[in-house]
Amino acid sequence: MEVRVGSVEDVRRDGCRTVEVNGRPVGVISVGEEFFAISERCPHMGASLCKDSLGGTFVAAGPHEYVYGKAGRVIRCPWHGWEFDIESGRSLLEPKRVGLKTYRVTQQDGEVVLHV
């Protein structure tokens, strides 16, 4: 099934747009030229993830070395700070146990299309 989310320009301007799919909210997120889609509710207590901002995190580097990475690819829950990678949907703290459902997003004729 395909869901037309809106024009590329409108979705980029919004940053994150929520659409209903089978009664569940899905957040379509714009990062630069790319679009990502995730379950829009935090699995912890159901907070809306599109109400917070995207950021990055520290990633593995050499011993005693901190490197900031994944800029614009990490979404945080506004209630309790749970963090998720928007590409994989996985939790940064417990990636093997907790995650968000992800969806494929494409651009067709100037519109953002969510594939479910």
Side-chain angles (χ1 to χ4, degrees):
M1 176 169 91
E2 293 182 352
V3 177
R4 301 240 175 233
V5 178
S7 74
V8 168
E9 293 81 22
D10 288 347
V11 177
R12 278 198 183 120
R13 182 178 51 248
D14 291 351
C16 186
R17 181 175 284 193
T18 303
V19 295
E20 288 283 323
V21 176
N22 298 325
R24 296 179 185 246
V26 173
V28 179
I29 303 165
S30 170
V31 179
E33 297 294 314
E34 298 178 276
F35 293 95
F36 302 91
I38 57 169
S39 302
E40 206 275 330
R41 299 287 177 200
C42 181
H44 177 227
M45 295 197 62
S48 173
L49 294 173
C50 277
K51 297 209 182 314
D52 208 9
S53 61
L54 292 173
T57 191
F58 287 102
V59 295
H64 308 290
E65 184 179 355
Y66 298 100
V67 176
Y68 187 78
K70 291 192 167 280
R73 308 281 177 159
V74 175
I75 195 161
R76 286 175 190 82
C77 175
W79 289 355
H80 302 106
W82 284 33
E83 297 177 315
F84 301 91
D85 181 319
I86 63 169
E87 292 181 73
S88 68
R90 303 314 307 165
S91 161
L92 296 187
L93 181 61
E94 296 187 64
K96 292 182 179 173
R97 193 174 79 82
V98 180
L100 304 169
K101 182 167 178 57
T102 59
Y103 302 86
R104 187 168 68 94
V105 182
T106 60
Q107 297 177 45
Q108 296 174 5
D109 301 321
E111 288 194 300
V112 177
V113 179
L114 173 66
H115 301 269
V116 293

